[in-house]
Amino acid sequence: MPEILLKVDNLKKYFPISGGVFGKKVGDVRAVEEVSFFVNKGETLGLVGESGCGKSTTGRMLMRLIEPTAGEVVFEGNSLTNLNTTELRKVRKDMQMVFQDPFASLNPRHTVEKILEEPLIVHGMGRKKERKQKVKEMLEVVGLSSYHANRYPHQFSGGQRQRIGIARALMTRPKLIIADEPVSALDVSIQSQVLNLLKDLQKDLQLTYIFIAHDLGVVKYISDRVGVMYLGRLVEITDTEKLYENPLHPYTKALLSAVPVPDPDIQKERVLLEGDMPSPSNPPRGCAFHTRCTECMDICRTTRPQIREVEPGHFAACHLFQESEK
Amino acid sequence: MVHASAPVLDVRQLKTSFFSSGGEIPAVDKISFSINKGEILGIVGESGCGKSVTSLSIMKLIPQPPGKIVEGEILLNGEDLVTASERRMREIRGNDVAMIFQEPMTSLNPLFTIGNQMVEALSIHKKLKKSQASQQAIDMLKIVGLPRAEQIMKEYPHQLSGGMRQRVMIGMALSCHPKLLIADEPTTALDVTIQAQILSLMKDLNEQLETAIIMITHDLGVVAEICRRVLVMYAGKIVEEAPVRTIFKNPKHPYTLGLLKSIPDIRDRTERLYSIPGNVPKPGSIKTGCRFAARCEFAYDRCHHESPRLYQQEKGHRVRCFLHETEEIADA
Ligand SMILES: Nc1ncnc2c1ncn2[C@@H]1O[C@H](COP(=O)(O)OP(=O)(O)OP(=O)(O)O)[C@@H](O)[C@H]1O
Ligand SMILES: Nc1ncnc2c1ncn2[C@@H]1O[C@H](COP(=O)(O)OP(=O)(O)OP(=O)(O)O)[C@@H](O)[C@H]1O
Ligand code: SF4
Ligand SMILES: [Mg+2]
Ligand SMILES: [Mg+2]
């Protein structure tokens, strides 16, 4: 039986929209709506979906970098909801983030040594000499050299900077890494280096990953299970094989069929979606996807489908797969 | 292939450099290629390899200084653009050659309505009356698949989504019936479902209007999807050129091979991705030998001292690598 490391229950985030002369609240951006999932120890859960669907907001709420509007995050059996600052800091030592743009998240005026040492100082780990030693070790772990410690971020290439970002996340020896588009800004030849590194580190250090990306090929490569988001909601989640071989939700099908494959002999059967994603400040009634869905039925326009286990371990939110309807 | 007609565009030995206190940096280093009527030619390669500098050179939009077309010819229907006057270029841009960019927001004026901008372009280039131009603009918006075209004419760029803006840009670019359309990463900023819409639109328009298209991208999936022929660039040089099928089924240059092996494919699941060691070099940083030698698993002595030429393989296939050296040198 796999052990659950993190569990998310009904997570929601509404960002207020203010307007008018007095900056009064005129509405909400419903960035994340009723998202629930779990992550097993040692596995990689991929989160995919198109721009603005709420992936990053979800990732940040897991660490309470953004306060959820509602819902609960449970890490190693403990709810994070009511933790005070000190308790939260302790938990954050076990959860770290890696971001898309390593350049923006690395202080340009600090040496790599200082950047990597900082998380240790924040969490009061080790004495100065030990910390410096750890920095050197970690640089080697991510495929850089200890002599890189005295350099500044701008002296590195994009791929090397992402290695620094990963090294920084690993300094406190976390159990969970939330990686938000960690390879999206990298060239293909560099991207595969970083993906392989992440896989190796996972094995060596028994890490658990939540891997956020919009590239379905990358997510397939790295993930054990994958969740698909649309307009703030999780519409399907299951094992990687199942999701790619036998997608259930019409949105997942459309998304997968839209990916161009590097083979000119393949003429793909495309499900071309009409129109654009609706605004999250004014989401459609009923199923959030019904305005673009090729399978839309009457009920989809009025009633929101709940996410349910359609087959063992395969969850989808779609009226095509609701049991006790009508 | 013997073509009855001359190519629409014939680029010969084009070299475009940027000059700084550190000296001359050749961003595009003597590249030659051509494109025929109705053809879609892909240019692929990683960041900084010179794709955009190539397209900006064709449009003569390289900022000067620091940049300059140092050498070569760019023949558009036989007319050399390198020596053409700025006045002549203004006629050519938008008329014979049009360009669309990755982020349409930067090329649409935020202060004017879509209609305003389209009508102005048409009245300048096609010398149409306002009412005619307006009708043509509406027709074009319909052709590129925008619903409620009349309304969109009255809207401002920020009121449209990214995919809609890119459709407007394509509509504007095609409204003057250019012979050549240069699309520089037109779908990179878009979501895959929107990208699929735009690519299918470009394919349709290419078939209907026979516009030649240069498709610049770093996405090999996009190339496989719509291109007929492909150039692979590395550090300012063309390293391989071939029909699209050959690039994917029988690639020869070690860089092309590595690139193809390092993309995670959604159709199967490998345990481990191939990765090309090292980093993409800065242009001008490699002075001698093959530019790929430092990262190449097949490199031998010669690769570090001598520069490989572009060697002709079977028909239409050229490779810049000593492992595929032939008698026939294609970049003379
Ligand atoms: N601080 C904020 N204030 C208001 N709205 C926000 C804020 N952060 C995010 N949003 C909105 O919430 C929605 C979800 O955003 P989020 O960044 O989570 O999406 P994403 O899936 O990560 O997208 P991308 O793929 O573009 O990174 C979007 O509509 C976004 O505009
Ligand atoms: N205005 C400029 N001044 C100086 N150097 C420049 C300028 N524009 C481009 N370059 C250099 O020319 C080289 C080629 O750039 P180019 O923009 O053509 O790359 P690209 O292949 O389009 O890359 P990307 O995929 O990132 O768009 C780069 O190394 C770049 O730094
Ligand atoms: S010439 Fe040599 S270094 Fe260059 S690609 Fe061929 S084998 Fe590799
Ligand atoms: Mg995001
Ligand atoms: Mg470019």
Side-chain angles (χ1 to χ4, degrees):
Chain A
M1 211 32 202
E3 194 182 327
I4 290 178
L5 182 70
L6 178 100
K7 201 165 164 298
V8 172
D9 204 17
N10 256 306
L11 212 53
K12 265 188 211 182
K13 182 67 196 182
Y14 290 2
F15 292 106
I17 309 170
S18 47
V21 210
F22 303 108
K24 262 184 21 197
K25 188 179 145 185
V26 294
D28 284 306
V29 177
R30 302 178 170 205
V32 176
E33 278 275 28
E34 299 170 6
V35 165
S36 305
F37 60 83
F38 60 86
V39 193
N40 290 322
K41 216 171 186 163
E43 79 169 348
T44 300
L45 174 72
L47 276 186
V48 290
E50 296 181 291
S51 187
C53 71
K55 304 180 296 292
S56 298
T57 307
T58 302
R60 284 161 185 265
M61 278 195 288
L62 302 181
M63 285 187 73
R64 274 183 62 193
L65 295 174
I66 294 178
E67 284 299 332
T69 304
E72 193 174 40
V73 178
V74 179
F75 183 72
E76 294 193 301
N78 303 314
S79 168
L80 306 191
T81 310
N82 297 314
L83 298 187
N84 63 32
T85 331
T86 332
E87 292 164 326
L88 197 57
R89 185 184 301 155
K90 241 185 241 155
V91 178
R92 282 192 184 144
K93 178 174 152 300
D94 291 331
M95 300 164 103
Q96 290 286 325
M97 280 199 85
V98 175
F99 298 96
Q100 166 171 358
D101 185 353
F103 205 46
S105 63
L106 301 175
N107 189 330
R109 281 182 302 274
H110 289 177
T111 60
V112 167
E113 177 165 69
K114 189 152 185 206
I115 289 169
L116 296 189
E117 214 187 339
E118 194 190 271
L120 297 180
I121 298 172
V122 168
H123 293 289
M125 296 166 80
R127 268 188 302 233
K128 193 162 183 173
K129 215 169 139 198
E130 292 160 9
R131 291 200 303 258
K132 303 244 184 267
Q133 186 54 35
K134 271 211 163 138
V135 167
K136 296 216 161 92
E137 283 168 17
M138 197 52 79
L139 282 170
E140 309 267 345
V141 168
V142 298
L144 296 169
S145 304
S146 49
Y147 66 80
H148 285 130
N150 300 319
R151 299 205 181 158
Y152 293 87
H154 74 264
Q155 294 173 296
F156 294 88
S157 70
Q160 288 174 323
R161 286 200 287 261
Q162 195 52 288
R163 287 174 195 270
I164 297 167
I166 293 168
R168 179 178 57 183
L170 291 175
M171 287 307 289
T172 59
R173 286 302 175 125
K175 295 173 182 153
L176 176 70
I177 299 267
I178 301 160
D180 191 354
E181 307 267 7
V183 297
S184 308
L186 303 177
D187 272 321
V188 219
S189 72
I190 308 301
Q191 172 180 298
S192 57
Q193 293 174 7
V194 173
L195 288 173
N196 285 340
L197 170 69
L198 286 170
K199 269 203 166 180
D200 292 343
L201 292 171
Q202 178 165 45
K203 221 183 274 156
D204 296 346
L205 308 174
Q206 285 95 45
L207 294 166
T208 304
Y209 291 147
I210 293 179
F211 191 99
I212 298 170
H214 63 271
D215 184 320
L216 286 131
V218 167
V219 166
K220 181 172 191 182
Y221 174 67
I222 197 102
S223 310
D224 299 297
R225 283 190 309 127
V226 177
V228 180
M229 290 184 72
Y230 185 80
L231 213 63
R233 293 174 182 274
L234 194 64
V235 297
E236 183 161 3
I237 185 168
T238 187
D239 299 343
T240 305
E241 304 289 329
K242 277 195 195 143
L243 190 97
Y244 285 79
E245 300 300 317
N246 180 28
L248 296 176
H249 199 284
Y251 175 62
T252 313
K253 287 185 184 166
L255 194 63
L256 286 172
S257 84
V259 179
V261 293
D263 185 342
D265 286 350
I266 290 185
Q267 287 299 321
K268 278 180 83 175
E269 275 286 329
R270 277 268 145 74
V271 190
L272 274 190
L273 288 183
E274 301 268 323
D276 293 309
M277 208 192 302
S279 160
S281 58
N282 185 20
R285 290 184 56 196
C287 171
F289 185 55
H290 89 254
T291 53
R292 302 171 76 195
C293 183
T294 48
E295 315 260 352
C296 182
M297 305 170 287
D298 283 344
I299 185 175
C300 308
R301 297 192 184 90
T302 52
T303 313
R304 174 121 31 232
Q306 297 301 312
I307 191 155
R308 67 171 276 270
E309 193 163 11
V310 180
E311 302 157 10
H314 196 158
F315 300 79
C318 168
H319 285 299
L320 294 170
F321 309 100
Q322 300 284 327
E323 232 162 24
S324 52
E325 234 125 57
K326 280 163 246 171
Chain B
M1 231 183 309
V2 182
H3 284 279
S5 57
V8 177
L9 181 81
D10 192 3
V11 174
R12 296 184 183 166
Q13 297 289 314
L14 173 70
K15 181 175 179 186
T16 304
S17 298
F18 291 94
F19 295 85
S20 68
S21 52
E24 176 181 357
I25 292 166
V28 164
D29 200 356
K30 298 194 189 165
I31 65 167
S32 302
F33 65 91
S34 64
I35 176 168
N36 293 311
K37 186 176 177 186
E39 192 178 29
I40 305 184
L41 173 74
I43 303 184
V44 282
E46 296 179 288
S47 193
C49 71
K51 303 182 296 296
S52 294
V53 170
T54 302
S55 55
L56 293 173
S57 299
I58 296 168
M59 297 295 278
K60 292 273 291 287
L61 290 173
I62 293 287
Q64 181 177 356
K68 189 174 189 291
I69 298 178
V70 187
E71 254 182 78
E73 292 172 307
I74 299 169
L75 303 174
L76 181 74
N77 295 312
E79 176 182 1
D80 188 7
L81 303 186
V82 173
T83 53
S85 68
E86 179 49 31
R87 184 150 159 255
R88 176 75 186 120
M89 279 315 297
R90 272 199 294 268
E91 282 169 14
I92 288 171
R93 282 183 216 124
N95 253 329
D96 304 276
V97 187
M99 185 160 175
I100 51 178
F101 300 90
Q102 171 171 345
E103 183 29 77
M105 208 52 192
T106 55
S107 28
L108 287 170
N109 190 329
L111 301 178
F112 292 97
T113 63
I114 301 298
N116 251 321
Q117 305 189 44
M118 291 190 78
V119 168
E120 168 158 314
L122 281 165
S123 6
I124 293 175
H125 293 298
K126 287 283 164 209
K127 314 215 161 42
L128 292 178
K129 282 205 238 62
K130 282 263 145 66
S131 60
Q132 283 173 311
S134 170
Q135 191 50 51
Q136 264 202 22
I138 291 170
D139 291 346
M140 209 59 207
L141 291 179
K142 285 182 179 156
I143 290 178
V144 297
L146 284 166
R148 44 179 205 97
E150 283 87 357
Q151 252 168 295
I152 286 177
M153 292 284 283
K154 296 184 206 125
E155 289 178 4
Y156 291 87
H158 75 265
Q159 290 172 282
L160 307 179
S161 70
M164 289 166 83
R165 283 198 291 262
Q166 200 54 290
R167 279 171 193 268
V168 169
M169 278 309 298
I170 294 175
M172 278 175 82
L174 293 176
S175 59
C176 298
H177 298 289
K179 299 179 186 73
L180 175 67
L181 173 68
I182 304 174
D184 192 347
E185 309 259 10
T187 59
T188 303
L190 303 175
D191 281 324
V192 278
T193 60
I194 309 298
Q195 166 171 286
Q197 294 170 1
I198 298 288
L199 292 181
S200 113
L201 169 68
M202 291 183 73
K203 234 195 296 195
D204 288 351
L205 293 173
N206 163 261
E207 277 161 23
Q208 285 166 31
L209 310 173
E210 292 203 295
T211 317
I213 300 178
I214 297 180
M215 181 76 184
I216 294 178
T217 177
H218 61 267
D219 186 334
L220 286 155
V222 170
V223 168
E225 179 94 17
I226 83 164
C227 298
R228 194 185 302 171
R229 212 152 47 84
V230 188
L231 309 178
V232 182
M233 287 186 72
Y234 188 80
K237 287 261 187 213
I238 293 174
V239 295
E240 186 155 10
E241 172 185 348
V244 69
R245 217 174 162 276
T246 310
I247 285 288
F248 288 94
K249 302 293 170 177
N250 186 25
K252 290 194 168 166
H253 197 283
Y255 175 64
T256 314
L257 285 164
L259 210 53
L260 281 166
K261 279 194 287 177
S262 51
I263 351 172
D265 195 326
I266 71 157
R267 289 164 303 167
D268 48 36
R269 195 148 173 237
T270 34
E271 249 324 290
R272 205 167 176 78
L273 284 174
Y274 178 83
S275 74
I276 303 173
N279 293 302
V280 180
K282 290 202 181 69
S285 63
I286 295 168
K287 304 278 187 238
T288 53
C290 171
R291 293 181 188 188
F292 190 56
R295 306 176 71 193
C296 179
E297 60 174 310
F298 305 103
Y300 57 108
D301 262 5
R302 186 179 176 197
C303 307
H304 297 280
H305 306 298
E306 203 184 316
S307 302
R309 310 286 294 269
L310 204 50
Y311 305 108
Q312 185 73 43
Q313 312 294 303
E314 66 280 18
K315 217 186 273 169
H317 192 179
R318 297 177 187 137
V319 179
R320 188 181 298 282
C321 169
F322 289 126
L323 300 177
H324 302 281
E325 188 171 11
T326 58
E327 296 290 299
E328 198 180 337
I329 291 168
D331 65 342

